[in-house]
Amino acid sequence: MSGRRFDAVLFDRDGTLVEDVPYNGDPALVRPRPGARAALDRLRAAGYRVGVVTNQSGLARGLFTEAQMHSVRARIEELLGPFEAWQFCRHVEEDGCECRKPRPGLVLAAAAQLGVDPARCVVVGDIGADVGAAHAAGAASVLVPTPVTRADEVAAAPTVVADLVEAADWVLGQVSPKTVLQQNVHSGSTARPQNVSPVPRRHVLVVRSDSAGDVLVTGPAIRAVAAGAARVTLLCGPRGRAAAQLLPGVDELIEWTAPWIDPQPPPVTEESVELLVKQVRAAAVDEALIFTSYHQSALPAALLLRLAGVGRVSAISVDYPGSLLDVRVRDDLDVPETERALGLARAAGYDLPPGDDGRLRLRGPLPDVTELTSGEPYVVVHPGASVPARACPPDLCAAFVTALRGAGWRVLITGAPDETVLTAQVAGSDGVDLGGRTPLPELAAVLAGARAVVVGNTGPAHLAAAVGTPVVSLFAPTVPYARWGPYGVPVVRLGDAGAPCRGSRATVCPVPGHPCLSHVEPSAVVSAIEELTCGF
């Protein structure tokens, strides 16, 4: 811990971490304060212990039960992540206890629970009692005022900031005294000092070196970065470039094939490495976020970015990063890749703007594909996959098309230019063959007009999610569905989730007969389409 002022950050609950609902015993009423998750993720990623110290006199007043208090606690942790210490004062002021803030008991108890010196703690709160409790315990304090904070409390506080993001900046040593708020005691308002310019927004490089689907699922995290950055440059590989061009928030692209990620990696040469370093240096970025899948390492990219002079680098890394990373998130949870990427963005100080639901999204407008899609309502069957082990057998896909046509659906079959033989076989006489006719923007438009899409675990599944179209997911379990299932849209998953290939990450099916997908019944696909399109 040498070189740091603090070991632990202790937060007040109501009015600081979550909106103040008086005497709340209902988890459904919990609403995080702006910037709370981003601030906490950054502090955790930097190695700080985090805890909560909160007065809860409603328990003594009989306004909620112990069980209700802990159900609210559980909801807060569900929304904001885990806290290593919780300390509650269950008394009213008349009890004269030593734990009720502004007395020091809660802070001392939390420090003891965490095994740290109170002098190495900082308390973050919204009223004078939080500041008083910190000082009584020998801890530091940061005040984050709200409309209920009194002017005299702000005037008396040694450190006052605008929000929880700035509180995290202060703890991390990334904000100078000039950026701390000053208080206008006469008006009761808080504002930045008039003679101090706001901190300029930064040029951020985001890295996602993989296929189209990988780039698409990172889209919400890139939007989060774009919401707080002056400019966003995306470093991607050739397999992800077309998808990168469709993402909102991306201002420019750098294309480079990462030899440690691409499935057909080029040799590592001094010339190719020097080219990337020169391109990044010429872009003059202020910081970088490296997004990877759970089985990939961010450290080779971090090394090259350091050589290019990037001053702040953030990434998820289970492996020890040494001096390669400034913000390191350790991750081994089975969460959707989209949420995993958002977690890194928050840890680096970037969050989605208000009103952004965090779903996949594309930059519009999409091309006019009326010539390809005009006619009765349609569904799409996309039989190909970038990884052979994830593709459904062609004859079975053809049976799906026949069954869907028999159920009254017009069926469009899509595929890349090198899949035209496959799409023709699957279309037969019952489907409309669009193989080779839909570059990624046109494919997105076709999928946007479909009532549903039948597709394996491949880029077009995530493209369908990005345009809000329901998916029948023919998902081979070689990678976890929890991470890679279509995100944020209605989905029906088909296939054997417990097949022997489960978790193998195989590119070619390792089991004879491809049992995870070869036994999907055409009638099941028809039923899934009917379930997803009910109400159309």
Side-chain angles (χ1 to χ4, degrees):
M1 297 294 181
S2 60
R4 294 197 330 197
R5 295 177 294 170
F6 309 113
D7 296 337
V9 187
L10 307 178
F11 290 86
D12 171 58
R13 196 189 84 172
D14 303 312
T16 301
L17 286 176
V18 297
E19 300 292 348
D20 188 7
V21 178
Y23 305 117
N24 182 31
D26 184 356
L29 299 180
V30 173
R31 297 289 183 272
R33 292 281 294 158
R37 182 65 193 245
L40 287 162
D41 283 347
R42 292 173 63 203
L43 292 169
R44 292 180 182 117
Y48 288 88
R49 316 286 295 276
V50 292
V52 178
V53 288
T54 175
N55 290 346
Q56 293 299 322
S57 65
L59 196 64
R61 301 177 196 275
L63 298 174
F64 52 77
T65 66
E66 185 89 15
Q68 288 175 313
M69 183 176 73
H70 287 293
S71 67
V72 169
R73 165 187 172 173
R75 177 59 175 161
I76 291 172
E77 291 202 318
E78 181 181 348
L79 294 171
L80 298 180
F83 294 88
E84 297 178 77
W86 281 86
Q87 292 294 328
F88 300 94
C89 173
R90 295 160 168 81
H91 308 102
V92 294
E93 187 172 1
E94 293 76 17
D95 291 337
C97 66
E98 283 302 310
C99 54
R100 182 175 173 83
K101 293 179 292 186
R103 297 181 182 90
L106 291 179
V107 177
L108 295 174
Q113 184 178 351
L114 294 173
V116 300
D117 186 337
R120 299 278 296 175
C121 296
V122 56
V123 177
V124 180
D126 67 312
I127 61 174
D130 301 312
V131 175
H135 294 176
S141 68
V142 176
L143 186 70
V144 185
T146 70
V148 305
T149 312
R150 299 195 314 267
D152 63 301
E153 293 177 324
V154 180
T159 304
V160 183
V161 297
D163 52 35
L164 289 172
V165 173
E166 285 199 2
D169 286 342
W170 187 85
V171 172
L172 294 166
Q174 295 171 359
V175 60
S176 70
K178 288 186 178 181
T179 65
V180 175
L181 293 183
Q182 292 181 344
Q183 175 74 12
N184 184 334
V185 176
H186 298 291
S187 67
S189 64
T190 55
R192 288 187 180 275
Q194 295 300 309
N195 61 346
V196 178
S197 300
V199 177
R201 298 205 302 169
R202 298 161 71 81
H203 182 183
V204 183
L205 178 73
V206 293
V207 181
R208 182 70 237 213
S209 302
D210 220 320
S211 300
D214 306 285
V215 171
L216 291 169
V217 300
T218 312
I222 293 173
R223 294 202 306 272
V225 173
R231 187 170 185 81
V232 174
T233 297
L234 173 58
L235 170 59
C236 64
R239 299 173 191 273
R241 184 182 182 93
Q245 291 171 326
L246 294 175
L247 290 185
V250 176
D251 296 302
E252 62 185 347
L253 298 177
I254 296 175
E255 181 182 317
W256 190 75
T257 304
W260 60 92
I261 288 180
D262 196 88
Q264 296 177 324
V268 178
T269 66
E270 184 177 352
E271 291 76 17
S272 66
V273 170
E274 286 183 350
L275 174 62
L276 175 65
V277 170
K278 288 179 180 178
Q279 285 180 296
V280 173
R281 187 176 290 127
V285 300
D286 298 300
E287 67 173 298
L289 284 76
I290 305 170
F291 295 103
T292 52
S293 296
Y294 71 100
H295 57 275
Q296 296 169 341
S297 173
L299 299 186
L303 175 60
L304 297 185
L305 296 180
R306 289 299 197 203
L307 294 176
V310 179
R312 184 175 189 253
V313 183
S314 304
I316 297 173
S317 181
V318 176
D319 298 320
Y320 171 65
S323 60
L324 294 180
L325 299 180
D326 299 286
V327 177
R328 174 198 184 190
V329 176
R330 305 186 192 195
D331 170 79
D332 58 359
L333 301 176
D334 245 3
V335 298
E337 289 288 304
T338 297
E339 295 178 13
R340 183 174 183 268
L342 278 169
L344 172 59
R346 293 189 183 106
Y350 298 96
D351 207 348
L352 290 167
D356 192 323
D357 60 9
R359 297 187 181 185
L360 308 193
R361 192 181 302 164
L362 301 181
R363 188 195 304 267
L366 295 174
D368 183 354
V369 291
T370 306
E371 181 182 348
L372 300 176
T373 63
S374 60
E376 61 195 89
Y378 64 90
V379 297
V380 170
V381 172
H382 187 92
S386 57
V387 176
R390 303 177 192 171
C392 197
D395 56 344
L396 189 53
C397 290
F400 298 159
V401 173
T402 299
L404 289 167
R405 189 58 185 160
W409 288 101
R410 182 167 174 248
V411 187
L412 276 53
I413 292 80
T414 55
D418 61 354
E419 295 175 328
T420 53
V421 173
L422 170 64
T423 58
Q425 176 185 351
V426 171
S429 58
D430 292 308
V432 179
D433 183 8
L434 299 183
R437 301 172 63 188
T438 53
L440 203 66
E442 285 75 10
L443 178 58
V446 170
L447 298 180
R451 297 295 174 84
V453 180
V454 182
V455 61
N457 177 25
T458 192
H462 306 297
L463 195 64
V467 295
T469 300
V471 176
V472 178
S473 178
L474 304 171
F475 196 94
T478 53
V479 295
Y481 181 80
R483 293 181 181 269
W484 287 105
Y487 185 77
V489 293
V491 180
V492 174
R493 179 186 182 181
L494 299 178
D496 183 1
C501 63
R502 181 177 180 179
S504 65
R505 298 213 310 266
T507 56
V508 177
C509 182
V511 183
H514 202 22
C516 65
L517 294 176
S518 60
H519 301 301
V520 176
E521 294 290 339
S523 59
V525 173
V526 173
S527 296
I529 291 287
E530 291 174 350
E531 177 182 339
L532 292 172
T533 59
C534 181
F536 278 99

